[in-house]
Amino acid sequence: MPNTVLDYINEHADEFFAQGAEAERIGRLTDKTVRLLKESGAMRMLQPADYGGYEYHPREFAEAVMRLASLDPAAGWVLGVCGVHPWQLAYNDRRVQDEVWGEDSSIWMASPYMPGGILVPQDGGGYRFSGSWQFSSGTDHCGWAFLGAMMGDPDGNMVHPPQMVHVIIPRADYTIVDDSWNVVGLRGTGSKDLIIEDCYVPEYRAMTWEDVSSGDGQRQSDRTQTLYQMPWSNMFPLGITSATVGICEGLLRLASDYQANRIDANGVNVKHDPYTMFELGEYMADLRAARGELIDNAQYFWDITERGEVASFADRAAGRATQVRAAWRAARAANEIYARCGGNALRMDQPMQRFWRDSQACIHHAIHTPNTVYHAATLSSLGAEAPGPLRKMI
């Protein structure tokens, strides 16, 4: 048995790679990929030890996601998204931890967090809940989901000022819309729509966005390990950006193998073309830099948290800017590398085209939107207060 999840992924690299094309064809991870991931324990890397998890360092989680994504983009993306959910569940109410992990500590959790429904308070406690959500990555293989919602009043109207909530829902309470994932990139992730029609949610299965984003939920928890005190705005994007970087690294590997003996349209061996060599060298360096800055960023916040300090908004904003920049830097490098692989690289029997499409799809995720993040980070660096809308996801 491998010593670590990363060891397992490396030992089964050929198998993971071979499943990628089939995942794209069927629009979800293959059963073999899911079996391999469960055997590896990858989805339990950030799960608490008292519920069968491993409590890995975030850096180790990022490295495993990158490696898996470089082999099978869909699998890496699903691990990056769903692999963070055990971390958040770990500082939720113990009752819901018992419900999710009590019978099966290997169960997977889906999302999304965008508010697609309204929680309506009920007499005697709890809520009624209905809504619809898009982009639930890996959802076919999950038994629970974190879903975003807005708090409502007893009449079903959204309260003012608006209050966002994260709600934890069992698979029996929502429907997966099977034909809802028809996309140009990340097809194998199976990021399908979910629908809920009037289910009951106990109060302990809801956490306000303010508690999540501010860290109050973590500080109120009985878990004092450094891992579970890390800022949400560092941990949640980490898996998604790691998958992005890893997919781009996978494209680079395929492109390097393809270019090794390629003769270009001018009859020149590409290795003897100084212009192509210069540009490939530049973008290879960008990919290395994207990986390094993302891992260093995770380590930076780990060090702050381990000292018992609470990261300031300015620190969190700078960290988010680093994550966003790493994603865009990697995706742009992948695009440039692919553009220099010639016309035959466009053929559908070349796996490069799938990695390229997936790499460009990654930066469409809301967590990689640069505008408000860069704005907030720059204002904070100048000692100015970032106003409300700029503080989202930071």
Side-chain angles (χ1 to χ4, degrees), residues 161-162 164 209-210 213 313 316-317 371-373 375-377 379-380 384-394:
M164 185 177 165
W209 167 242
E210 286 80 3
S213 59
F313 178 83
R316 299 200 312 270
N371 303 353
T372 55
V373 171
H375 191 175
L379 283 176
S380 298
E385 182 76 13
L390 299 184
R391 304 178 78 87
K392 292 180 178 178
M393 292 194 280
I394 293 176

Side-chain angles (χ1 to χ4, degrees), residues 110-191:
S111 42
Y113 293 99
M114 291 297 289
I118 294 180
L119 280 178
V120 181
Q122 300 294 291
D123 291 340
Y127 310 95
R128 303 307 303 183
F129 192 35
S130 299
S132 62
W133 293 260
Q134 296 179 315
F135 307 114
S136 183
S137 296
T139 197
D140 287 300
H141 316 288
C142 296
W144 287 74
F146 271 104
L147 298 179
M150 300 305 295
M151 186 61 71
D153 63 23
D155 295 324
N157 300 309
M158 193 169 66
V159 299
H160 293 281
Q163 184 179 41
M164 185 177 165
V165 187
H166 287 183
V167 187
I168 303 170
I169 298 292
R171 175 68 183 83
D173 286 349
Y174 58 86
T175 299
I176 298 172
V177 183
D178 282 327
D179 60 353
S180 57
W181 188 238
N182 185 19
V183 289
V184 71
L186 295 173
R187 291 175 60 88
T189 64
S191 302

